[in-house]
Amino acid sequence: MYPASVSLLSCTNTTQLADFCSFIVPNIWAGSLKSPILPKRQGAFKFFCQKIIKATQISCACIVLALYYVYRLRSAYPCVQGSIGSEVRLFTTALVLANKYLDDNTFTNKTWSDVSNIPVHELNIMEVEFLAALNYRIHVHHLQFFSWAEQCQQWM
């Protein structure tokens, strides 16, 4: 999908990162690498990913961690079916958690709300529900993190 020379953890091209996220989030959530959403929906999600990644300038490590949180959530609840557009809320919430865990200077939920257009009270609820679904275990051992980053790199 992308040149092998592009390293996910050092990628500075927001368009490439958004392309990857818009492909992988719905696929992780669907449990397969077959395009689970219609091209029109994927285009809208790609635009959202570009917007949020550019607006926040969030690190690649945060993006990879957020993707891992999505993966863990899917693993914990394999039978849950997302509704149309749920990938936006899912990815935003995972980014919020990753940003708060990894970065000393994090965005407030109000800022995430402004960037994502998700009302802050809904974002607060989603954050608590996501944390509860992960049993409040958001630490990822560095070996697991790099193993996950390598897996994501293969999907790039």
Side-chain angles (χ1 to χ4, degrees), residues 9 60-62 64-65 68 102 140-150:
L9 288 174
C60 294
C62 277
V64 170
L65 184 59
Y68 187 66
L102 284 182
V140 177
H141 190 277
H142 70 277
L143 294 177
Q144 181 61 47
F145 176 82
F146 287 113
S147 175
W148 174 253
E150 186 177 309

Side-chain angles (χ1 to χ4, degrees), residues 9 12 15-16 21 31 57 94 114 121-123 127 129 133 147 155:
L9 288 174
T12 58
T15 302
Q16 279 185 320
C21 291
Q57 294 295 298
D114 292 342
H121 68 279
E122 290 180 27
L123 195 56
E127 180 182 11
E129 288 177 349
S147 175
W155 291 328

Side-chain angles (χ1 to χ4, degrees), residues 47-109:
F47 178 76
F48 172 80
C49 290
Q50 287 173 339
K51 180 180 128 186
I52 204 160
I53 291 169
K54 283 181 183 179
T56 61
Q57 294 295 298
I58 198 161
S59 70
C60 294
C62 277
I63 292 170
V64 170
L65 184 59
L67 295 173
Y68 187 66
Y69 290 160
V70 172
Y71 170 78
R72 283 192 43 213
L73 186 67
R74 168 44 75 209
S75 297
Y77 298 95
C79 296
V80 171
Q81 297 294 317
S83 60
I84 293 175
S86 63
E87 62 276 0
V88 167
R89 292 171 172 271
L90 178 69
F91 188 49
T92 301
T93 309
L95 286 172
V96 168
L97 294 178
N99 178 238
K100 287 182 178 183
Y101 182 75
L102 284 182
D103 296 335
D104 289 334
N105 295 315
T106 64
F107 297 109
T108 64
N109 282 14

